[in-house]
Amino acid sequence: MSLRLKKNGKGSPSSSRSPTSASIQDDEYAQIIEGVKRTYNHKIRPLEITYNFEGFHSSPLTDSDIEAKPIVLLIGQYSTGKTTFIRYLLDKAYPGEHIGVEPTTDRFVAVMHGQEDRITPGNAAAVNQEFPFRGLNRFGQAFLSRFQVSQTPSPILENMTIIDTPGILAGDKQRIERGYDYTAVIEWFAQRADLILLMFDSHKLDISNEFKNAIHCLRGQEEKVRVVLNKSDMVNQQQLMRVYGAMMWSLGKVVQTPEVMRVYLSSFWTEKPPNSFEDCRELIEAESKDLLRDMKELRRNASIRKINEIVKRARLARVHALIISHLKKEMPSMFGKKKKQEALLNNLDQEFIKIQQRYHLPAGDFPNPAKFRQNLALYDMDKFKSLKEDLLDKADEALSVDLPRLMSRFPMVNPELDASQRNPFEEFGEGDVPPSYWDFAAVDKASYIPMFQGLHPREGKLSGASVKPVLMDSGLPNDVLAQIWRLADFDGDGYLNIDEFCIAMHLIKAHKNGAQLPEKLPSTLMPTNKI
């Protein structure tokens, strides 16, 4: 399901192509994105333009911004594996890629899908209407000369765009010599990204001042942020535990939120080094799969996130309009304008409180007073626009009617099925069970839980005497039942908890279907919370 709308001509499907369920769902999402564009352009964008939203927050969205594929933003210090991670995903190098232990990526690179390998320089990319980067013109030539779009044919990039960023170094030298505001650029990409990955190396846990500022500018985007502790196999199990704790301690001093960030322990190598440790390999692979699953679901969640971002933007634009019109109203009509403007600037916090109380607005919808004051000092408040109720009403209608209606039109997502439900024709033959049967996900717990509860467990466990009649009802010989008990009671305490009971019933079913019982319970058949 691509969110990129098919235009007439290039990239449009053939008229003879028969509709499939995927193309039908693509059409549904395309119609929703069209609705988002209409709502934004007719009811939210006029409010932003009238009250100079661009001068204080961000430039108006273009159609290419709204149509854009999901964006994954990679941020981290140098040599934490950002570029290697992209190569791992694409299974090949992208045009202009540089990998090394030294700081190699010296520019922002948007890695996108294309029919052939191509590099588009920043100045050309910022004026190309097909790319969602026209807003980058505000950062000037110094930044655009350090930005490029790298296109390459890849099935992964058909569903997302990946932003590779320059590695962050410690000290102020790099920050001063960049020639552009690195933090402001990160903030611009973060507002448009669907997933933000903070990359750490198991040997690079320090957070420099510039990295700290980059993390601070992600405030308000916390639901998109994930932390990746890369190269986790370069330390042993004990060291990994200490590294994880040290990283969380460092992040705790920078990220001012009570919630703990989701952290993935991973190791994305194109070629695994010979000195890597294997004692945490299963954990690292499971964590890496979780991260890749999150990225796989981006395509499905991108449309919902688009609407979420438009809602956030509309609320901010509405509050911005009320602030600007309030300041205009407070200005005198004749004399003392300069003195009044200085007073309003100095007491901006109190003016925000007045607006909150007058319009019954939550404090969380208001911008940072210090940052707003810095921008406000550049303008003459007397030239601001007065409040236009019709523009405000249209924005309110978009928030209360149009965008909720679009949300209700999203196609239903199929639930993830258990392993036992994924093939309706997978029957047990004589002496044979499918390989998926030896997976805990295939255990039919829904059928066995009532039986377990009916035996009145004490402290969540059943004794052998309680379970024996149920197992005897299976009609299996005592020696087989004894083996099933040994396999199911894997902690050897003489009791069966609910998971162990379900495993016992699962093994009975397997034996009845002719399967040979294993000598040892397979690790895949153990519940995940017991591994």
Side-chain angles (χ1 to χ4, degrees), residues 311-382:
V311 169
K312 285 167 62 175
R313 190 179 179 95
R315 289 171 66 97
L316 189 58
R318 186 179 183 277
V319 170
H320 178 76
L322 293 173
I323 293 172
I324 295 298
S325 59
H326 170 80
L327 295 174
K328 165 68 175 177
K329 187 178 178 182
E330 291 294 311
M331 291 294 290
S333 57
M334 296 284 289
F335 304 107
K337 293 181 179 181
K338 186 176 180 181
K339 188 176 180 180
K340 182 63 175 178
Q341 176 158 332
E342 290 177 357
L344 290 171
L345 278 172
N346 293 331
N347 298 311
L348 194 59
D349 300 44
Q350 296 301 316
E351 299 302 321
F352 279 7
I353 293 173
K354 288 181 187 177
I355 299 168
Q356 289 176 36
Q357 294 172 345
R358 181 177 302 166
Y359 297 101
H360 308 289
L361 298 171
D365 282 357
F366 281 74
N368 181 293
K371 187 175 179 181
F372 197 86
R373 183 184 292 110
Q374 189 177 0
N375 291 325
L376 193 60
L378 304 175
Y379 295 93
D380 183 355
M381 295 184 193
D382 191 50

Side-chain angles (χ1 to χ4, degrees), residues 189-223:
F189 277 111
Q191 289 171 352
R192 288 154 179 79
D194 296 86
L195 181 66
I196 303 169
L197 298 181
L198 295 181
M199 305 284 288
F200 286 85
D201 183 336
S202 57
H203 291 97
K204 289 189 182 70
L205 300 177
D206 58 313
I207 298 178
S208 65
N209 288 338
E210 190 171 36
F211 196 11
K212 180 179 178 181
N213 292 336
I215 294 174
H216 280 164
C217 80
L218 302 179
R219 196 164 294 167
Q221 317 287 340
E222 288 84 2
E223 76 277 5

